[in-house]
Amino acid sequence: MSNKISETLTFECETGNYHTFCPISCVAWLYQKIEDSFFLVVGTKTCGYFLQNALGVMIFAEPRYAMAELEEGDISAQLNDYEELKRLCLQIKKDRNPSVIIWIGTCTTEIIKMDLEGMAPKLENEINIPIVVARANGLDYAFTQGEDTVLAAMAHRCPEQTMLIEKKKIIQDSNIQEFFSFLSLEKKEETTNKQFLKLKKNAPLVLFGSLPSTVASQLSSELKRQSIQVSGWLPAQRYTDLPSLGDQVYVCGVNPFLSRTATTLMRRRKCKLIGAPFPIGPDGTRAWIEKICSVFGIQTEGLEKREEKIWENLKDYLDLVRGKSVFFMGDNLLEISLARFLIRCGMIVYEIGIPYLDKRYQAAELLFLQNTCKKMCIPMPRIVEKPDNYNQIQRMRELQPDLAITGMAHANPLEARGINTKWSVEFTFAQIHGFTNARDILELVTRPLRRNNNLENLGWNSLTKKEKSKF
Amino acid sequence: MKLAYWMYAGPAHIGTLRVASSFKNVHAIMHAPLGDDYFNVMRSMLERERDFTPVTASIVDRHVLARGSQEKVVDNITRKDKEERPDLIVLTPTCTSSILQEDLQNFVDRASITSNSDVILADVNHYRVNELQAADRTLEQVVRYYLEKARKQGTLDQSITKEPSANIIGIFTLGFHNQHDCRELKRLLQDLNIKVNKIIPEGGSVKDIQNLPKAWFNLVPYREVGLMTAIYLEKNFGMPYISTTPMGIVDTAECIRQIQKNVNSLISNKNKIFNYESYIDQQTRFISQAAWFSRSIDCQNLTGKKAVVFGDATHAASMTKILAREMGIRVSCTGTYCKHDAEWFKEQVQGFCDEILITDDHTEVGDMIARIEPSAIFGTQMERHIGKRLDIPCGVISSPVHIQNFPLGYRPFLGYEGTNQIADLVYNSFTLGMEDHLLEIFGGHDTKEVITKSLSTDTDLTWNYESQLELNKIPGFVRGKIKRNTEKFARQNNVTNITVEIMYAAKEALSA
């Protein structure tokens, strides 16, 4: 295995023997995001046990998700799928009365070819609750791609935009007023008119990707500073508030793993996709805003200064990370954006492992990564798609990176061998988008470095027995 | 189909993996889709394991669905053989692979020709057995495989050791306090002048399995795992086994008496007959504090208090007996999720409780607890959460468990030190409950509302409606801090009207 770091962006593909979470884990954050939803995972004990263990204490908070646990009779088709699902969904309706039930198809439903997409519309009519089907299974997808399948399925349920345009003239005023009150401008009375004139110009813009509501409103207000109005989010806080879509609508992604959703929005809903780097890190956020502004023909205001200010605020953390090396084992598809940000912070990235790389959807981000490397005079990292964890650990043994960003399966063993690790899943649950949260990313990245600075002088960095350690 | 939110016992392959990865130098390969290897996460997190978990997956993806695994599984086995040089590779089917109905045995046969390791296919049916049953089976399968292999090769030595010795069977990874129990059992056997021959599977080598028959008897501390192996060894090698769990004073004594009986029946020199009665007496009255504790005034206060017990068969049954027989506590209901072992369980707790509940549905357990309203619960992590909701204290006595049930300190449940630990657990659960009750009667620790704790009592700042909403979205435990920091920032910048923008600006400026 060659460990030389190449001068251009190289793409490799390994065996796909890597550790990641099953995509059904998207249920964990999506049920919290979409307040009136209920997620029903149609699968086996294995899926249930994963959710129960991966999501830890959340299970005890009476979550709005459950397993439809398949039994032997379901597998051998002795029981009627439709009747069984109907029974469970009626019970869910009775107990929770959600506005939408989302069926998550799993490996098992794929293998026994359960026709969830066919059954959903029928059952939907019968029980009068929308049923959305997403096939978030481990046969096809990794971890965060689960959200992608759910949002792609939901994109079909968004109302058509034409209706809105017809009505728009009548409701425009009140609508925009409402919108302002939600965003709460600083000096509302004075600016409303000015902003109003400006905002009228920009065509509807829908952002897609599930973010905590605070982060979503931070990004919205970031765009509003540039006089761009966000007309909706996919997903919205409630299923009943899904944004309207159509051929007049521009869409832009906030997360790197949403390629199916992007494709669906373009091909099926005829939206115009804005391909931009993702708003992760102050550099990414600025590039993201600039790209959106350029599409709407708007000159950005004060963005440069704002970015600089953020970087200034990060100074103490930057001193800590500068010159340190990172190795991404890859499991959640945020890797390219995070690596780009860390390189801009002055770190050296040896390898970016990533489960799946959509070069078209991530094109702007990849270009940005390349430019950042040039700007910082840092060799281009190698990008390894479908990595092989065993090989990666061998490479890490030679490279001895200062930090490995990895899944929990490898974190403790690596720490025991004296390699600092950061658990990658935390990046999916922490708030990492926009200018405001840049510090949170570095907080995560530097945590093992800061902790180990405190412990460094104790002299027990490697904690494995010699004969056992194959590392 | 079954609507399920939570389960007590995991899927079958988890049991197989727990047994396989407990042995030294055994590698398990799962035939599974991407993401099914979360067993590694559990082991690495809960056990805080320093070594890489010897479990990998031979990934089932779309190509496998279309064309079958073909060479993939065999390649993965031979590759692992080269990389890690394990003694044994266990090919583990998952629920996904069992529906695919590929001929995994064929892969195993092919792979064992080319690899230096032994290769076996774990014999478990995903839709019929759970984690614990699968673990029991896999352990038996591995033991049988190596004993039969040794017999074929003629290396099997069936003579027993000179001095009395025992095997401890069923200690394994992710087991509830297994490591501590194992240490306590070793100490107990040492006190009784009995050598420990082998401990399996935890830390054992498969190469040593052929030495299992050298022991005089087998000790199976837990009902769930190891019994099949013990029965196999009894049938084929005439080894007696003791399956009385040495948990609590009475059962520990009972277990020791059975050991005495077994050892004495095999002893050749009848002058050297063992008598443990004085040891039992000494330990019970003076080393263990539990017998004295039961007589003390503290324990008197527990008389007749209602308790509910729920857990795996071993721990729930033992705990019920301890509470009722050794502490005089009234067990209103006891139950287990080991439905496959219901008969044994009912027989064990007969006469020690008012009612018995056999179920693996946690809502049924919750309803039962709500109905009975006991003063304390002894159960799994699930019961602890039920207790939290109902304001009833709970002591955790059985898996499924969280990371806090893998303590670093010495906390056995078995043997004489175990009785001390259990006494503490029981007493602490009840006193907490009592204190709580008294607090309620007297209106809490401090009845005055604290009003001047924060900086934010000045009235020069106003939060507008949206920013208040935004503030309420912030989790409670940091809300106060955010509020203070925002107001500090607002004052510094001479802003009196706090908006959402000001909040964000404050966060950026103060890095809150």
Side-chain angles (χ1 to χ4, degrees):
Chain A
M1 203 55 58
S2 110
N3 291 311
K4 232 187 265 168
I5 294 159
S6 70
E7 295 303 310
T8 52
L9 222 47
T10 54
F11 299 94
E12 285 174 44
C13 187
E14 282 192 307
T15 61
N17 271 317
Y18 62 99
H19 167 77
T20 181
F21 274 180
C22 175
I24 58 171
S25 51
C26 66
V27 164
W29 63 88
L30 286 176
Y31 93 83
Q32 291 184 30
K33 173 72 193 178
I34 309 168
E35 286 169 356
D36 51 353
S37 63
F38 191 99
F39 285 79
L40 185 68
V41 182
V42 188
T44 60
K45 253 185 176 335
T46 307
C47 314
Y49 204 58
F50 164 70
L51 283 179
Q52 170 174 328
N53 281 294
L55 311 179
V57 288
M58 276 192 253
I59 199 88
F60 300 109
E62 291 207 8
R64 290 186 319 279
Y65 69 80
M67 292 289 308
E69 196 183 308
L70 300 170
E71 290 163 306
E72 204 164 10
D74 299 301
I75 306 295
S76 53
Q78 284 163 350
L79 296 167
N80 182 314
D81 298 338
Y82 184 80
E83 290 304 320
E84 291 292 297
L85 280 169
K86 183 176 161 189
R87 184 170 56 81
L88 300 192
C89 288
L90 282 173
Q91 197 184 331
I92 292 165
K93 185 182 177 184
K94 193 178 122 241
D95 295 348
R96 306 289 172 105
N97 196 27
S99 315
V100 61
I101 295 177
I102 295 140
W103 286 351
I104 303 288
T106 62
C107 306
T108 314
T109 58
E110 288 295 310
I111 295 171
I112 64 174
K113 300 199 164 49
M114 194 183 274
D115 183 19
L116 294 176
E117 276 95 345
M119 286 187 277
K122 254 197 277 173
L123 191 56
E124 186 172 320
N125 278 332
E126 212 171 330
I127 67 169
N128 243 332
I129 292 181
I131 295 173
V132 173
V133 181
R135 301 179 176 196
N137 60 68
L139 294 169
D140 301 308
Y141 305 109
F143 196 14
T144 47
Q145 286 180 290
E147 176 182 321
D148 194 21
T149 61
V150 173
L151 296 190
M154 238 170 222
H156 292 283
R157 301 303 181 111
C158 295
E160 192 58 42
Q161 200 247 350
T162 45
M163 275 174 50
L164 210 111
I165 286 183
E166 282 162 23
K167 282 188 191 166
K168 205 173 180 179
K169 289 229 159 62
I170 313 159
I171 55 168
Q172 203 167 36
D173 272 347
S174 64
N175 225 5
I176 287 179
Q177 288 288 357
E178 259 175 47
F179 190 68
F180 277 144
S181 72
F182 166 68
L183 289 172
S184 80
L185 284 176
E186 236 166 279
K187 294 169 201 159
K188 198 161 150 190
E189 270 76 58
E190 291 154 57
T191 46
T192 305
N193 280 331
K194 204 176 100 197
Q195 296 277 357
F196 177 73
L197 290 172
K198 271 193 185 174
L199 288 175
K200 236 167 58 172
K201 276 191 248 162
N202 97 260
L205 170 67
V206 169
L207 301 179
F208 57 95
S210 160
L211 293 179
S213 61
T214 18
V215 182
S217 53
Q218 278 163 9
L219 285 181
S220 296
S221 69
E222 218 57 81
L223 286 172
K224 195 194 59 199
R225 284 182 193 212
Q226 306 298 336
S227 321
I228 291 175
Q229 179 194 345
V230 177
S231 58
W233 281 82
L234 173 69
Q237 201 68 22
R238 300 179 66 79
Y239 176 77
T240 44
D241 296 341
L242 281 179
S244 26
L245 299 172
D247 56 3
Q248 300 298 311
V249 177
Y250 284 86
V251 290
C252 188
V254 297
N255 269 323
F257 44 77
L258 298 172
S259 53
R260 271 176 73 91
T261 310
T263 314
T264 310
L265 290 171
M266 279 192 300
R267 298 216 180 125
R268 307 297 298 273
R269 306 305 307 263
K270 308 292 174 212
C271 302
K272 298 181 185 108
L273 179 72
I274 303 175
F278 301 100
I280 293 169
D283 50 340
T285 309
R286 180 180 155 194
W288 182 74
I289 295 171
E290 277 174 349
K291 183 65 199 274
I292 293 173
C293 287
S294 77
V295 168
F296 290 120
I298 289 171
Q299 197 70 39
T300 59
E301 265 173 53
L303 211 50
E304 218 162 311
K305 264 197 188 150
R306 184 147 167 70
E307 191 197 344
E308 254 167 54
K309 190 93 190 296
I310 299 289
W311 284 115
E312 260 167 51
N313 273 339
L314 299 177
K315 206 177 163 301
D316 50 339
Y317 280 153
L318 294 179
D319 291 340
L320 215 52
V321 300
R322 194 169 297 119
K324 297 256 167 52
S325 54
V326 200
F327 192 109
F328 283 89
M329 284 188 82
D331 73 346
N332 59 15
L333 286 96
L334 294 170
E335 291 88 1
I336 304 275
S337 312
L338 287 173
R340 177 260 303 151
F341 168 59
L342 294 183
I343 290 171
R344 178 65 183 74
C345 291
M347 297 185 90
I348 299 157
V349 177
Y350 287 147
E351 175 167 329
I352 308 175
I354 186 167
Y356 167 74
L357 181 60
D358 184 336
K359 284 185 195 157
R360 275 201 298 179
Y361 177 62
Q362 295 226 40
E365 184 65 84
L366 285 168
L367 188 67
F368 195 29
L369 169 69
Q370 215 164 347
N371 291 337
T372 306
C373 287
K374 278 182 199 152
K375 190 175 158 198
M376 302 300 292
C377 296
I378 277 172
M380 310 277 174
R382 59 197 269 172
I383 296 174
V384 181
E385 226 185 320
K386 295 173 117 214
D388 185 296
N389 281 166
Y390 184 86
N391 296 344
Q392 284 185 313
I393 286 165
Q394 305 307 314
R395 291 199 285 272
M396 237 187 273
R397 185 168 72 177
E398 291 187 24
L399 293 166
Q400 291 290 324
D402 295 308
L403 181 70
I405 295 180
T406 174
M408 202 64 229
H410 300 293
N412 270 337
L414 286 173
E415 286 282 353
R417 282 153 185 79
I419 292 196
N420 298 323
T421 57
K422 183 75 229 137
W423 186 27
S424 54
V425 172
E426 283 188 63
F427 291 102
T428 36
F429 291 119
Q431 307 191 344
I432 60 170
H433 293 76
F435 286 124
T436 319
N437 299 308
R439 204 176 167 82
D440 295 41
I441 308 177
L442 283 180
E443 168 71 28
L444 285 178
V445 170
T446 57
R447 196 175 295 157
L449 303 173
R450 283 178 288 132
R451 195 267 308 261
N452 292 350
N453 280 349
N454 296 338
L455 306 181
E456 206 166 35
N457 298 325
L458 293 172
W460 46 70
N461 292 332
S462 171
L463 289 156
T464 48
K465 288 182 186 151
K466 275 269 150 28
E467 72 273 13
K468 265 190 108 177
S469 144
K470 283 186 176 141
F471 188 52
Chain B
M1 261 178 232
K2 199 169 82 179
L3 197 62
Y5 294 89
W6 205 78
M7 60 185 89
Y8 283 100
H13 72 270
I14 296 285
T16 298
L17 297 179
R18 282 174 64 186
V19 166
S21 59
S22 296
F23 278 113
K24 245 195 298 195
N25 214 23
V26 170
H27 201 100
I29 295 183
M30 301 165 66
H31 190 235
L34 196 65
D36 269 4
D37 57 353
Y38 60 87
F39 173 74
N40 300 28
V41 178
M42 285 170 61
R43 200 165 117 100
S44 173
M45 285 278 273
L46 299 175
E47 292 262 41
R48 304 178 189 89
E49 187 54 59
R50 298 168 195 218
D51 282 310
F52 292 101
T53 304
V55 173
T56 43
S58 175
I59 305 280
V60 174
D61 57 13
R62 278 283 154 193
H63 298 291
V64 172
L65 275 200
R67 304 177 301 129
S69 291
Q70 296 187 346
E71 300 302 316
K72 204 171 182 179
V73 176
V74 178
D75 287 348
N76 277 315
I77 294 175
T78 43
R79 177 183 163 187
K80 217 18 95 183
D81 174 51
K82 289 208 181 70
E83 284 169 356
E84 309 263 345
R85 309 216 154 278
D87 298 325
L88 169 69
I89 293 176
V90 182
L91 182 61
T92 311
T94 58
C95 58
T96 311
S97 69
S98 57
I99 320 171
L100 284 176
Q101 299 198 321
E102 284 196 89
D103 189 359
L104 295 180
Q105 187 59 51
N106 174 38
F107 296 148
V108 164
D109 294 342
R110 274 166 53 201
S112 53
I113 297 168
T114 49
S115 72
N116 294 315
S117 328
D118 298 313
V119 189
I120 63 172
L121 173 66
D123 169 32
V124 287
N125 181 330
H126 255 84
Y127 295 91
R128 303 230 170 121
V129 296
N130 67 21
E131 174 182 358
L132 299 169
Q133 292 164 289
D136 202 11
R137 256 162 214 271
T138 304
L139 183 59
E140 192 247 14
Q141 197 190 351
V142 172
V143 167
R144 191 201 329 221
Y145 177 83
Y146 278 99
L147 286 175
E148 277 171 12
K149 191 180 167 192
R151 181 175 276 162
K152 265 185 219 148
Q153 292 174 343
T155 52
L156 194 61
D157 178 8
Q158 287 209 44
S159 61
I160 58 169
T161 54
K162 256 190 220 143
E163 299 301 317
S165 63
N167 297 320
I168 303 174
I169 299 177
I171 305 286
F172 70 149
T173 190
L174 293 172
F176 183 73
H177 293 243
N178 272 201
Q179 310 290 346
H180 312 280
D181 284 348
C182 183
R183 211 168 115 191
E184 186 63 20
L185 288 178
K186 281 200 279 188
R187 203 173 80 177
L188 182 72
L189 289 173
Q190 197 187 3
D191 285 353
L192 302 177
N193 273 320
I194 294 171
K195 287 225 160 59
V196 176
N197 183 48
K198 289 281 166 282
I199 298 168
I200 55 165
E202 185 63 50
S205 162
V206 286
K207 286 177 182 156
D208 289 342
I209 285 178
Q210 55 175 318
N211 293 326
L212 282 178
K214 284 184 181 303
W216 289 30
F217 65 94
N218 292 317
L219 183 58
V220 184
Y222 310 112
R223 181 84 196 151
E224 286 73 25
V225 177
L227 215 50
M228 274 180 82
T229 311
I231 291 169
Y232 165 79
L233 289 169
E234 187 188 42
K235 229 185 198 168
N236 288 273
F237 298 88
M239 295 179 77
Y241 69 88
I242 292 155
S243 63
T244 302
T245 305
M247 186 167 153
I249 293 172
V250 177
D251 277 353
T252 304
E254 169 64 21
C255 181
I256 294 174
R257 288 194 182 102
Q258 286 182 22
I259 292 174
Q260 178 182 307
K261 209 179 98 196
N262 274 305
V263 172
N264 286 341
S265 72
L266 285 170
I267 223 155
S268 47
N269 182 354
K270 295 291 168 196
N271 297 326
K272 281 178 75 181
I273 267 181
F274 283 90
N275 187 343
Y276 297 135
E277 286 304 329
S278 64
Y279 174 77
I280 294 173
D281 183 62
Q282 177 76 9
Q283 290 283 327
T284 305
R285 289 197 297 143
F286 305 111
I287 306 298
S288 162
Q289 300 295 319
W292 157 240
F293 171 73
S294 305
R295 292 289 297 199
S296 71
I297 299 297
D298 274 344
C299 207
Q300 209 175 69
N301 286 338
L302 302 182
T303 312
K305 284 226 175 293
K306 278 197 292 185
V308 161
V309 179
F310 197 83
D312 64 19
T314 306
H315 288 90
S318 296
M319 203 63 201
T320 306
K321 287 188 275 181
I322 292 170
L323 291 173
R325 186 162 64 181
E326 297 176 16
M327 292 182 171
I329 290 160
R330 172 147 173 218
V331 180
S332 302
C333 182
T334 185
T336 180
Y337 56 84
C338 296
K339 284 159 94 175
H340 60 278
D341 215 8
E343 289 315 309
W344 176 85
F345 183 80
K346 283 180 192 161
E347 191 194 304
Q348 287 293 306
V349 298
Q350 203 69 60
F352 294 116
C353 60
D354 299 345
E355 52 178 309
I356 298 171
L357 179 68
I358 311 284
T359 181
D360 56 4
D361 179 353
H362 74 273
T363 52
E364 249 180 80
V365 180
D367 289 347
M368 177 267 290
I369 293 172
R371 170 171 55 83
I372 290 174
E373 289 189 71
S375 315
I377 310 167
F378 298 94
T380 70
Q381 279 292 337
M382 193 64 203
E383 282 68 49
R384 197 171 71 87
H385 284 269
I386 294 169
K388 261 188 192 164
R389 194 178 305 163
L390 300 171
D391 261 333
I392 301 170
C394 177
V396 176
I397 55 142
S398 157
S399 51
V401 284
H402 280 329
I403 193 154
Q404 66 260 42
N405 301 112
F406 291 88
L408 303 176
Y410 188 48
R411 300 252 195 291
F413 269 67
L414 304 186
Y416 287 109
E417 178 55 30
T419 60
N420 291 337
Q421 297 289 340
I422 292 169
D424 280 344
L425 180 76
V426 170
Y427 185 65
N428 289 343
S429 305
F430 276 108
T431 37
L432 288 179
M434 183 99 80
E435 196 178 320
D436 227 42
H437 184 60
L438 288 174
L439 284 176
E440 203 163 278
I441 292 173
F442 296 113
H445 281 293
D446 193 349
T447 49
K448 275 188 198 140
E449 209 180 322
V450 183
I451 44 168
T452 51
K453 219 173 171 182
S454 70
L455 288 168
S456 53
T457 46
D458 304 280
T459 47
D460 58 332
L461 296 171
T462 45
W463 289 71
N464 75 359
Y465 178 66
E466 290 79 17
S467 61
Q468 274 174 25
L469 276 186
E470 193 67 22
L471 189 66
N472 284 333
K473 282 186 208 156
I474 293 161
F477 60 97
V478 286
R479 197 181 297 148
K481 186 178 164 201
I482 304 246
K483 189 167 184 232
R484 280 196 299 280
N485 283 342
T486 308
E487 291 183 350
K488 198 166 133 202
F489 174 83
R491 277 196 200 94
Q492 278 165 358
N493 292 282
N494 296 322
V495 177
T496 50
N497 185 22
I498 294 177
T499 62
V500 179
E501 272 77 15
I502 294 290
M503 284 177 73
Y504 297 153
K507 189 187 176 200
E508 285 160 25
L510 295 164
S511 331

